[in-house]
Amino acid sequence: TVLEGLEPVRKRPGMYIGATSSSGLHHLIWEVVDNGIDEAMAGYATEITLTLMPNSLVEISDNGRGIPVGIHKATGVSALETVLTKLHAGAKFGEGGGYKVSGGLHGVGVSVVNALSEYLKAEVHRDGKIWLQEYKRGNPVKKAKAVGTTKKIGTVITFKPDPQIFTELEFDWGKILDRLRQQAYLTKSITIKASDRRPGHREKDYK
């Protein structure tokens, strides 16, 4: 199901993430992590890894099925690009094939993260290949393409929040750990690993 593009998100970000202050900034992380939680709740993912890097970059990976990369019949572009550029185009909204249970707050998901990021990279490990697509402020730089082979499965999302949107860009390690601890406690069979690679390197695992 595809409802609309991303321009409304950039015009009215508060409608989608609540605020453009610290709470909205962290909401970007919750949306991506929740995609991995949904894969775990559906019985596919067992591990989520979150890495905070310098310059407000965040990398979040899971070992779920990997976002599909085939051509989406309703949009004519890859399913990966559709999920990243169309609101309500993810598995939560599909007829029949959607998640039975979802950990997401309201399911706007990674397309909103993409819309509100200065830069986003999606890397999918699926069907023996590594698929890659990069975006700038919600717009694809190029089409999704295979860039290598892999024995892994899963999705890696790397993003940098847009300073044109957010009033602050500093992530709060403690707030992130509190949320990850709750998610790990509530979700069976998931291990969540967090790493802060900013000055004063810190790591924490939750099971």
Side-chain angles (χ1 to χ4, degrees):
T1 305
V2 177
L3 299 185
E4 58 182 322
L6 297 183
E7 195 57 33
V9 185
R10 291 188 62 83
K11 287 184 176 179
R12 299 285 186 272
M15 290 178 59
Y16 297 88
I17 58 169
T20 55
S21 58
S22 177
S23 62
L25 180 72
H26 288 80
H27 193 108
L28 301 185
I29 288 180
W30 312 154
E31 286 289 353
V32 181
V33 168
D34 283 342
N35 285 346
I37 294 294
D38 288 339
E39 282 289 277
M41 294 173 74
Y44 298 102
T46 58
E47 186 172 294
I48 297 170
T49 301
L50 179 148
T51 306
L52 297 181
M53 294 178 278
N55 300 317
S56 301
L57 272 171
V58 183
E59 179 185 281
I60 300 169
S61 65
D62 67 67
N63 64 346
R65 291 167 289 182
I67 299 172
V69 292
I71 297 299
H72 189 286
K73 60 184 179 182
T75 61
V77 298
S78 70
L80 175 62
E81 184 172 328
T82 301
V83 167
L84 281 160
T85 59
K86 307 293 183 185
L87 291 176
H88 309 305
K92 294 182 182 73
F93 299 95
E95 293 182 15
Y99 291 116
K100 302 291 189 295
V101 181
S102 174
L105 297 181
H106 40 54
V108 296
V110 74
S111 60
V112 166
V113 178
N114 191 24
L116 301 179
S117 292
E118 179 181 12
Y119 168 80
L120 183 142
K121 178 176 71 174
E123 183 181 303
V124 176
H125 295 246
R126 188 181 171 103
D127 303 324
K129 294 182 179 180
I130 302 170
W131 296 83
L132 182 69
Q133 191 167 28
E134 293 178 292
Y135 295 81
K136 290 186 177 178
R137 296 194 164 94
N139 297 307
V141 177
K142 296 179 181 177
K143 291 184 177 181
K145 66 176 182 178
V147 295
T149 59
T150 182
K151 293 182 179 179
K152 298 179 181 179
I153 55 170
T155 303
V156 185
I157 299 292
T158 305
F159 67 91
K160 181 177 183 178
D162 192 346
Q164 292 181 3
I165 300 291
F166 293 96
T167 57
E168 54 183 285
L169 297 170
E170 188 71 22
F171 287 104
D172 185 322
W173 178 243
K175 181 183 292 189
I176 291 168
L177 290 189
D178 285 345
R179 173 65 182 245
L180 297 183
R181 185 189 307 114
Q182 293 171 15
Q183 291 286 39
Y185 177 77
L186 294 170
T187 310
K188 291 191 303 181
S189 71
I190 190 72
T191 297
I192 303 180
K193 299 181 177 182
S195 176
D196 187 351
R197 294 184 182 171
R198 300 173 299 183
H201 187 103
R202 296 167 287 188
E203 294 188 357
K204 188 73 176 178
D205 292 357
Y206 295 108
K207 296 184 179 181

Coordinates of all heavy atoms in Angstrom, one line a residue, residues 37-46 65 99 189:
I37 N 13.1 -5.0 15.6 CA 12.3 -5.6 16.6 C 11.1 -6.3 15.9 O 10.7 -7.5 16.3 CB 11.7 -4.6 17.6 CG1 12.9 -4.0 18.4 CG2 10.6 -5.2 18.5 CD1 13.5 -5.0 19.3
D38 N 10.5 -5.7 14.9 CA 9.4 -6.4 14.2 C 9.9 -7.7 13.5 O 9.2 -8.7 13.5 CB 8.8 -5.4 13.1 CG 8.0 -4.3 13.7 OD1 7.6 -4.4 14.8 OD2 7.8 -3.3 13.0
E39 N 11.1 -7.7 13.0 CA 11.6 -8.9 12.4 C 11.9 -9.9 13.4 O 11.7 -11.1 13.2 CB 13.0 -8.6 11.6 CG 12.8 -7.9 10.3 CD 12.2 -8.9 9.3 OE1 13.0 -9.7 8.7 OE2 11.0 -8.9 9.1
A40 N 12.3 -9.5 14.6 CA 12.5 -10.5 15.7 C 11.1 -11.0 16.2 O 11.0 -12.2 16.4 CB 13.2 -9.8 16.9
M41 N 10.1 -10.2 16.3 CA 8.8 -10.6 16.8 C 8.1 -11.6 15.7 O 7.3 -12.4 16.1 CB 7.9 -9.4 17.0 CG 8.4 -8.6 18.2 SD 7.5 -7.0 18.4 CE 5.9 -7.6 19.1
A42 N 8.5 -11.4 14.5 CA 8.0 -12.3 13.4 C 8.8 -13.6 13.3 O 8.5 -14.4 12.5 CB 8.0 -11.5 12.1
G43 N 9.9 -13.7 14.1 CA 10.6 -14.9 14.2 C 11.8 -15.0 13.3 O 12.4 -16.1 13.0
Y44 N 12.3 -13.9 12.8 CA 13.4 -13.9 11.8 C 14.7 -13.3 12.4 O 15.7 -14.0 12.3 CB 13.0 -13.1 10.6 CG 11.8 -13.7 9.8 CD1 10.6 -13.1 9.9 CD2 12.0 -14.8 9.0 CE1 9.5 -13.7 9.3 CE2 10.9 -15.4 8.4 CZ 9.6 -14.8 8.5 OH 8.6 -15.4 7.9
A45 N 14.7 -12.2 13.0 CA 15.9 -11.5 13.5 C 16.2 -12.0 14.9 O 15.3 -12.2 15.7 CB 15.8 -10.0 13.5
T46 N 17.5 -12.1 15.2 CA 17.9 -12.5 16.6 C 18.9 -11.4 17.1 O 19.2 -11.5 18.3 CB 18.7 -13.9 16.6 OG1 19.8 -13.8 15.7 CG2 17.7 -15.0 16.1
R65 N 15.3 -10.6 7.6 CA 15.3 -11.1 6.2 C 15.9 -10.2 5.2 O 16.2 -10.6 4.1 CB 13.8 -11.4 5.8 CG 13.1 -12.5 6.5 CD 11.6 -12.5 6.3 NE 11.0 -11.5 7.0 CZ 9.7 -11.2 7.1 NH1 8.9 -12.0 6.4 NH2 9.2 -10.3 7.8
Y99 N 2.9 -7.6 9.3 CA 3.3 -8.1 10.6 C 2.0 -8.4 11.4 O 1.1 -7.5 11.4 CB 4.2 -7.2 11.3 CG 5.6 -7.1 10.8 CD1 6.1 -5.9 10.3 CD2 6.5 -8.2 10.7 CE1 7.4 -5.8 9.8 CE2 7.7 -8.1 10.2 CZ 8.2 -6.9 9.7 OH 9.4 -6.7 9.2
S189 N 14.1 -13.6 22.5 CA 15.2 -14.1 21.6 C 15.9 -13.0 20.8 O 16.4 -13.3 19.8 CB 14.6 -15.1 20.6 OG 13.7 -14.5 19.7

